[in-house]
């Protein structure tokens, strides 16, 4: 059942947006990388970026003060001068801020909130609170792309967050993708373009005709952590959903994907879905030749064990821990057209201001 969510007002040139460090304190450790992302975001979209009180704190301090991280997010939502919120970077302990979040405050102050990876935790808090949020680039990973932003990502951000019309068909990225690791700690690397690999295109593993559903998902490892928390959606929210899922730079093996989907089957979530979107697997040491093993892991559970042979599945998509990425809005209706091999977001994700 599609959740009833409030769509935030669209972003506009000149808007003030806040950056928040909800997990790892990357900006405090590698400030030049953060500043590069801030500058490129401001120049590309005409936004004014401001930091919350603890955004630039060092990693150790932020690790010891999860409530301060949550307070930053709450202040960013409640401050009427701030029109949007962007995560600086992921990490591995956003789950520690959950107990400090005020979902009622989020509900009463809808505004675009953007990030990915460990930020999945806060996205599910927004979903529970009843507002649309956006799985997309972070300041240090995405907006700080070496030697300039990828046009594919820029176009997706504009269509999703700055345009109140229907988002429409999401094109495949045919210009090449990258997961090359250039050490952020070396400032000289910021001016080096990362090497692109040719795209084999999205893989339509199974499905026929057109299928619609609302978008829910995130980083596989993080979803696994929050399954028993208060922000995990009720079973009814999963009914008819299109699950989008991706794996992190830690390169979990296909067996982890197998076990995750087996858990979804045991929870009766898997058979209630309308479709599955799987991002290109993350990890700079992972060879594209191994991507098929992740496809096989999904099919093992969905088709072989559960017999859901008509459930549409698209894999190796352009979101998550490879670049460039497109933006996925939570709770918004989308369509998988398996016959014509198209993925379309059917409605707007933001409203006119």
């Amino acid at each position: 059942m599609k959740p009833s969510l409030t769509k935030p007002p669209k972003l506009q040139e000149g808007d003030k947006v806040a950056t928040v460090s909800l997990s790892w304190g990357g900006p405090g450790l590698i400030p030049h990388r953060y500043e590069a992302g801030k500058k490129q975001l401001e120049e590309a979209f005409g936004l004014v970026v401001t930091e919350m009180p603890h955004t630039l704190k060092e990693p150790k301090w932020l690790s010891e003060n999860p409530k301060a991280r949550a307070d930053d997010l709450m202040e960013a939502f409640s401050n009427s001068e701030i029109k949007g919120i962007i995560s600086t970077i992921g990490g591995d302990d956003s789950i520690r801020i959950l107990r400090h979040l005020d979902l009622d405050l989020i509900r009463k102050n809808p505004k675009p909130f953007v990030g990915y990876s460990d930020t999945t935790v806060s996205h599910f808090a927004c979903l529970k609170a009843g507002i649309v949020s956006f799985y997309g680039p972070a300041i240090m990973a995405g907006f700080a792309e070496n030697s300039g932003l990828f046009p594919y990502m820029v176009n997706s951000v504009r269509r999703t967050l700055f345009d109140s019309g229907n988002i429409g068909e999401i094109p495949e990225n045919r210009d090449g993708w990258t997961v090359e690791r250039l050490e952020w700690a070396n400032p000289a690397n910021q001016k080096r373009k990362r090497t692109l690999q040719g795209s084999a295109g999205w893989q339509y593993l199974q499905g026929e005709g057109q299928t619609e559903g609302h978008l829910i998902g995130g980083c596989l490892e993080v979803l696994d952590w929050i399954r028993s928390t208060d922000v995990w959606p009720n079973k009814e929210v999963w009914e008819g959903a299109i699950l989008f899922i991706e794996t992190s730079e830690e390169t979990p093996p296909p067996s982890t994907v197998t076990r995750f989907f087996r858990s979804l089957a045991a929870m009766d979530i898997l058979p209630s879905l309308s479709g599955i979107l799987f991002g290109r697997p993350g990890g700079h040491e992972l060879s594209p030749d191994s991507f098929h093993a992740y496809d096989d892991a999904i099919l093992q559970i969905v088709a072989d064990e559960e017999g859901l042979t008509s459930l549409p599945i698209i894999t190796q998509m352009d979101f998550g821990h490879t670049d460039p990425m497109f933006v996925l809005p939570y709770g918004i209706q989308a369509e998988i057209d398996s016959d014509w091999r198209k993925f379309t977001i059917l409605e707007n994700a933001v409203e006119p201001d």
Side-chain angles (χ1 to χ4, degrees):
M1 179 179 68
K2 181 180 178 181
S4 178
L5 302 179
T6 300
K7 298 174 182 178
K10 69 178 183 179
L11 290 176
Q12 302 180 70
E13 187 172 334
D15 279 349
K16 179 186 287 188
V17 297
T19 60
V20 289
S21 296
L22 303 176
S23 191
W24 178 53
L29 183 66
I30 314 174
H32 65 265
R33 179 73 180 187
Y34 169 80
E35 291 297 330
K38 175 180 177 178
K39 180 180 180 182
Q40 292 185 163
L41 172 63
E42 290 180 327
E43 292 178 347
F45 300 99
L47 298 172
V48 178
V49 177
T50 186
E51 293 80 27
M52 300 312 294
H54 309 103
T55 299
L56 305 180
K57 291 285 190 180
E58 294 181 354
K60 184 176 186 298
W61 191 94
L62 285 174
S63 177
E64 294 171 350
N65 292 275
K67 185 178 184 302
R69 290 181 263 150
D71 289 345
D72 277 359
L73 185 58
M74 295 300 91
E75 184 174 340
F77 269 110
S78 63
N79 187 333
S80 61
E81 294 183 358
I82 292 173
K83 305 303 181 183
I85 309 167
I86 303 175
S87 172
T88 61
I89 193 62
D92 63 7
D93 79 338
S94 279
I95 195 168
R96 297 174 63 212
I97 74 173
L98 271 182
R99 68 186 69 183
H100 305 296
L101 298 181
D102 184 341
L103 300 191
D104 189 53
L105 185 152
I106 295 174
R107 183 180 303 112
K108 292 176 179 177
N109 297 278
K111 59 189 64 175
F113 171 68
V114 188
Y116 76 112
S117 193
D118 195 39
T119 309
T120 298
V121 172
S122 297
H123 284 305
F124 271 68
C126 289
L127 181 65
K128 191 76 169 184
I131 73 166
V132 173
S133 63
F134 302 85
Y135 200 80
I139 296 293
M140 297 181 71
F143 290 116
E145 179 59 40
N146 306 54
S147 295
L149 303 181
F150 288 114
Y152 182 83
M153 185 270 283
V154 171
N155 291 337
S156 180
V157 170
R158 287 197 183 282
R159 290 174 65 187
T160 310
L161 294 164
F162 289 78
D163 188 344
S164 58
N166 290 353
I167 296 170
E169 182 180 349
I170 306 300
E172 295 187 32
N173 165 39
R174 293 295 188 176
D175 295 329
W177 61 275
T178 185
V179 72
E180 182 182 12
R181 183 176 180 178
L182 298 177
E183 289 295 339
W184 292 354
N186 181 357
N189 283 339
Q190 191 61 40
K191 298 180 180 180
R192 291 178 55 195
K193 285 185 177 293
R194 293 197 287 168
T195 302
L196 298 179
Q197 301 191 53
S199 175
W202 299 350
Q203 304 300 302
Y204 287 73
L205 301 187
Q206 62 175 39
E208 296 181 355
Q210 297 79 41
T211 306
E212 293 186 20
H214 52 283
L215 294 164
I216 304 179
C219 181
L220 182 147
E221 298 101 296
V222 183
L223 289 172
D224 198 39
W225 302 338
I226 64 173
R227 273 186 300 173
S228 60
T229 67
D230 290 342
V231 298
W232 188 257
N234 296 328
K235 184 180 176 182
E236 293 77 15
V237 177
W238 291 104
E239 292 179 358
I242 293 177
L243 172 68
F244 65 88
I245 197 161
E246 53 99 8
T247 55
S248 78
E249 78 283 359
E250 295 184 355
T251 321
S255 60
T256 298
V257 176
T258 297
R259 291 162 187 156
F260 179 81
F261 275 92
R262 193 170 280 149
S263 295
L264 292 183
M267 298 165 70
D268 285 331
I269 290 174
L270 195 59
S272 71
L273 297 177
S274 291
I276 296 171
L277 312 177
F278 191 72
R280 189 181 295 107
H284 71 282
E285 296 180 346
L286 186 66
S287 169
D289 293 337
S290 66
F291 289 173
H292 69 88
Y294 291 83
D295 296 350
D296 292 345
I298 297 172
L299 286 173
Q300 177 188 339
I301 308 306
V302 175
D304 298 345
E305 294 186 9
E306 296 301 314
L308 301 171
T309 55
S310 62
L311 182 66
I313 303 173
I314 314 175
T315 65
Q316 300 184 40
M317 297 184 79
D318 298 290
F319 66 88
H321 283 76
T322 67
D323 292 292
M325 67 180 78
F326 67 85
V327 181
L328 286 154
Y330 282 79
I332 297 300
Q333 198 76 1
E335 179 187 76
I336 298 172
D337 187 331
S338 299
D339 293 343
W340 291 95
R341 299 197 163 207
K342 296 193 300 185
F343 171 64
T344 303
I345 300 179
L346 298 172
E347 59 179 311
N348 60 315
V350 290
E351 299 286 8
D353 192 7

